[in-house]
Amino acid sequence: MADVPLQLARIRGATPDDVMAVLVDLAADVAADEAIVELGVFEGKTALYMAWGAQQGHGACLWG
């Protein structure tokens, strides 16, 4: 996982950092014509991290 923008690092969330790193890497591998869906968004940290990962990769959309 690349260096996370400070704005993302400040968001409160329940997902541990090691799990977050895996989700970011997986999101980066999703094709641009596919979508990532997160069900059950607490304060949005995991969704925002995955959206950032998708942006770093192929640009897939994320729905939460």
Side-chain angles (χ1 to χ4, degrees), residues 33-61:
D33 63 345
E34 296 179 358
I36 302 164
V37 178
E38 180 182 11
L39 302 177
V41 178
F42 172 52
E43 292 199 18
K45 183 173 185 172
T46 304
L48 289 170
Y49 267 72
M50 287 191 294
W52 176 71
Q55 184 182 40
Q56 303 304 306
H58 303 287
C61 291

Side-chain angles (χ1 to χ4, degrees), residues 3-52:
D3 291 331
V4 177
L6 187 56
Q7 297 90 335
L8 290 181
R10 290 181 177 165
I11 299 170
R12 201 174 79 155
T15 306
D17 289 342
D18 58 335
V19 174
M20 198 72 76
V22 172
L23 293 174
V24 167
D25 291 341
L26 289 172
D29 290 338
V30 177
D33 63 345
E34 296 179 358
I36 302 164
V37 178
E38 180 182 11
L39 302 177
V41 178
F42 172 52
E43 292 199 18
K45 183 173 185 172
T46 304
L48 289 170
Y49 267 72
M50 287 191 294
W52 176 71

